[in-house]
Amino acid sequence: MDSEPTGVEAKRTRIGVLYALAAFFMWGLAVPLHFKLLSSVPALQILAHRIVWASVFALGLIVVFRQWSSLVEAVTSGRRLAFLSLSAGLIAINWLIYIWAVNSGHLVQTSLGYFINPLLNVVLGVLFLRERLHPAQVAACLVAGIGVIVLAVSSGEMPWVAIALACSFGCYGLVRKIVPVNPLVGFCIESMLLTPWRWSI
């Protein structure tokens, strides 16, 4: 009886790790190359296009996967909408800093920011979500932390971009962890909340 749920959970964990690796590969390699081709375009304009087309794409997925009821339920909940408004603001800040940094030649700092981010996620999980670390996990975090410090010192400058990226994305992840909303629905609502702002720039 217990082996089946455990097996299902293990399979979901493996799939989640593969998705995460694919996302970080795209975000760390493919996306910077794409943004670099757009270096002559202002960062705010690139962000505006990203918001609008993300809204269109997310709404299309909502239709395909028939998630309208979940979307309406989340939008009509004041508490969920407030949390998603906060997460939308955080992810917009993260996107803008990332786009500006890539187009301004701060690739090392953007990479450092996403090295810092998992460590910050661990800290936030321990502080706010009462998660506990095993000794091996603590050791792994210490080794990774030393690596981040070495990279930061070797850069020869205060890594403000890296810190801003890590903090904005880490806080975004914490907020999304707290609010009980389907990931696709949450992403769709965030994009739609940001879309009116796009027309004001």
Side-chain angles (χ1 to χ4, degrees):
M1 295 286 292
D2 294 334
S3 61
E4 185 176 353
T6 302
V8 171
E9 187 65 30
K11 182 178 179 181
R12 290 182 62 188
T13 299
R14 286 195 296 271
I15 293 172
V17 169
L18 290 175
Y19 282 154
L21 289 174
F24 274 101
F25 173 78
M26 291 177 61
W27 197 241
L29 181 62
V31 174
L33 291 175
H34 173 70
F35 285 154
K36 202 63 180 175
L37 294 174
L38 302 174
S39 58
S40 61
V41 181
L44 278 173
Q45 188 173 343
I46 296 174
L47 176 61
H49 276 281
R50 176 172 181 150
I51 291 169
V52 171
W53 294 114
S55 299
V56 173
F57 182 69
L59 282 171
L61 291 179
I62 291 288
V63 172
V64 170
F65 294 110
R66 299 179 180 178
Q67 296 282 328
W68 282 112
S69 58
S70 299
L71 180 66
V72 172
E73 181 183 355
V75 170
T76 54
S77 169
R79 182 175 181 274
R80 294 182 187 181
L81 197 57
F83 274 115
L84 289 173
S85 298
L86 175 59
S87 64
L90 288 168
I91 200 61
I93 291 170
N94 183 266
W95 286 349
L96 182 59
I97 294 172
Y98 181 82
I99 295 167
W100 171 84
V102 170
N103 287 356
S104 301
H106 298 286
L107 284 172
V108 174
Q109 286 223 31
T110 59
S111 298
L112 182 59
Y114 288 104
F115 276 119
I116 297 173
N117 178 246
L119 295 174
L120 181 60
N121 287 342
V122 172
V123 173
L124 293 175
V126 171
L127 291 179
F128 295 100
L129 303 178
R130 306 299 182 187
E131 296 181 357
R132 295 185 178 183
L133 300 179
H134 300 298
Q137 294 172 320
V138 173
C141 289
L142 288 175
V143 171
I146 292 171
V148 165
I149 292 172
V150 170
L151 286 173
V153 171
S154 64
S155 69
E157 59 181 347
M158 186 65 182
W160 293 114
V161 172
I163 293 171
L165 284 172
C167 290
S168 57
F169 199 63
C171 292
Y172 169 78
L174 177 63
V175 172
R176 287 303 305 272
K177 183 74 174 178
I178 293 172
V179 60
V181 176
N182 175 289
L184 173 58
V185 170
F187 174 70
C188 183
I189 294 173
E190 287 169 347
S191 300
M192 290 191 299
L193 285 170
L194 293 170
T195 299
W197 166 84
R198 173 261 178 271
W199 300 111
S200 66
I201 65 174

